[in-house]
């Protein structure tokens, strides 16, 4: 699969205001990033992969230079309404790998939140190499990673979890994290294909409450999207450990819908 065949329509993702942590950065994660970047002193260069408004607001409180790389100018403009922008922020309208490889600029921090799945497996190694190459000698890659675990959630298990939950924004976000991004079909599909996952859920689930939750979850994460995440395709199998030396890992807490399948990792470039 080429990048031309692989697309999430971020330009049309106008329901981002409905998305809650962990699919957006939460307070604990942001506090960690603030302490890390703030502790590095002034005149640091920071790169944010994607228009993540929470990261941009954190950086607005610091004296650092901030480059925001996003290939969707429309989503960047939309996300800008959800954040306080740094006076030293610069928008780079480009693909992450291309922008990092071609600019020649070195960053003290590169911030990433759930970026991996937006890149086809076939291009992931090149992406990791580009990130590593764009780090300064003492630079840090601050990367929030999602890695679904076997066996995933079957329709029956999903009904057990959600049929008695009150229907609210927290419920819909948790359903999205569990029933879509940790669905048992991920092993067969080798990706998160929202069209096929919703079709299976609607075929297999008769419980009226759960079906109602499914309809609202479609507003949060619509059909027609695909992310390259799978149980057996790990970051290390695609070159992560070849490019980075892990310094610290912080796992999601037990209360999180991403418990045991997401973590923040702080790394430096391999071999200095």
């Amino acid at each position: 699969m080429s990048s031309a065949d692989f697309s999430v329509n971020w330009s049309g993702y106008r329901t981002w205001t409905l998305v809650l942590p962990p699919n957006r950065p939460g307070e604990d994660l942001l506090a960690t990033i603030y302490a890390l970047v703030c502790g590095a002193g002034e005149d640091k260069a920071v790169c944010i992969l994607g228009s993540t408004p929470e990261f941009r607001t954190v950086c607005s409180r610091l004296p650092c230079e901030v480059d925001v790389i996003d290939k969707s100018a429309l989503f960047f403009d939309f996300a800008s309404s959800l954040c306080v922008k740094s006076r030293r922020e610069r928008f780079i309208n480009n693909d992450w790998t291309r922008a990092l490889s071609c600019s020649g600029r070195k960053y003290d921090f590169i911030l990433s939140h759930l970026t991996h799945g937006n890149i086809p497996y076939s291009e992931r190694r090149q992406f990791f190499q580009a990130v590593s190459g764009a780090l300064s000698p003492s630079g840090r890659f601050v990367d929030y990673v999602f890695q679904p675990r076997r066996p995933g959630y079957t329709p029956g298990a999903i009904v057990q979890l959600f049929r008695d939950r009150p229907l609210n924004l927290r419920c819909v976000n948790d359903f999205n994290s569990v029933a879509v991004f940790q669905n048992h079909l991920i092993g067969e599909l080798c990706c998160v294909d929202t069209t096929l996952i919703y079709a299976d859920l609607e075929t297999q689930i008769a419980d009226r409450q759960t079906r109602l939750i499914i309809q609202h979850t479609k507003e949060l994460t619509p059909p027609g999207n695909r992310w390259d995440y799978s149980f057996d395709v790990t970051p290390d199998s695609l070159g992560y450990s070849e490019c980075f030396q892990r310094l610290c890992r912080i796992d999601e807490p037990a209360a999180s819908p991403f418990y045991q399948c997401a973590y923040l990792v702080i790394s430096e470039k391999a071999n200095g």
Side-chain angles (χ1 to χ4, degrees):
M1 170 181 287
S2 70
S3 58
D5 302 318
F6 186 96
S7 176
V8 175
N9 182 22
W10 287 103
S11 295
Y13 225 116
R14 298 299 160 157
T15 55
W16 197 244
T17 52
L18 303 178
V19 178
L20 299 178
N23 279 291
R24 287 175 65 173
E27 292 179 12
D28 290 346
L29 173 60
L30 295 171
T32 297
I33 290 174
Y34 180 80
L36 181 67
V37 179
C38 184
E42 297 186 7
D43 297 324
K44 299 298 181 181
V46 177
C47 178
I48 300 174
L49 303 181
S51 299
T52 310
E54 295 86 352
F55 287 174
R56 294 163 65 191
T57 294
V58 164
C59 289
S60 75
R61 304 200 298 268
L62 300 166
C64 52
E65 297 180 352
V66 183
D67 285 352
V68 179
I69 304 175
D70 199 318
K71 65 181 180 180
S72 172
L74 289 175
F75 187 72
F76 172 81
D77 289 340
F78 171 72
S80 295
S81 68
L82 304 176
C83 70
V84 176
K85 297 171 61 175
S86 168
R87 292 183 176 88
R88 302 181 72 185
E89 180 180 284
R90 179 178 66 148
F91 173 49
I92 301 173
N93 187 194
N94 204 341
D95 168 84
W96 296 324
T97 301
R98 187 176 299 110
L100 292 172
S101 300
C102 297
S103 73
R105 187 167 192 192
K106 301 299 182 183
Y107 295 100
D108 300 288
F109 296 94
I110 297 179
L111 309 182
S112 158
H113 190 269
L114 299 175
T115 59
H116 298 198
N118 293 284
I119 304 165
Y121 296 130
S122 61
E123 299 176 16
R124 202 79 59 84
R125 187 180 300 270
Q126 183 181 3
F127 166 69
F128 295 150
Q129 291 171 343
V131 173
S132 178
L135 287 172
S136 68
S138 60
R140 298 290 182 262
F141 184 32
V142 185
D143 190 19
Y144 182 76
V145 179
F146 175 68
Q147 179 59 49
R149 294 164 54 95
R150 286 189 182 276
Y153 289 87
T154 64
I158 291 165
V159 171
Q160 289 293 322
L161 284 172
F162 288 94
R163 66 183 175 187
D164 296 322
R165 289 276 301 268
L167 178 54
N168 54 37
L169 192 56
R170 180 73 267 171
C171 170
V172 172
N173 273 268
D174 289 353
F175 189 93
N176 178 60
S177 297
V178 169
V180 178
F181 282 90
Q182 298 179 68
N183 193 283
H184 74 111
L185 286 180
I186 292 172
E188 175 185 334
L189 300 172
C190 203
C191 68
V192 175
D193 185 316
T194 59
T195 299
L196 296 179
I197 288 172
Y198 282 129
D200 182 72
L201 291 173
E202 292 177 328
T203 300
Q204 300 295 327
I205 292 177
D207 177 71
R208 294 172 61 192
Q209 167 74 353
T210 310
R211 290 182 67 89
L212 184 59
I213 296 172
I214 292 171
Q215 296 310 308
H216 285 280
T217 304
K218 287 181 179 180
E219 299 174 17
L220 197 70
T221 301
N225 289 322
R226 170 186 169 133
W227 287 268
D228 261 0
Y229 292 118
S230 190
F231 300 131
D232 301 321
V233 185
T234 67
D236 283 343
S237 72
L238 297 171
Y240 201 84
S241 57
E242 299 169 18
C243 296
F244 306 106
Q245 175 67 42
R246 292 175 174 86
L247 301 174
C248 175
R249 170 171 163 160
I250 303 173
D251 291 302
E252 276 291 289
S256 170
F258 278 171
Y259 177 57
Q260 294 188 325
C261 66
Y263 54 90
L264 176 71
V265 61
I266 301 170
S267 303
E268 63 183 0
K269 63 196 308 177
N271 301 317

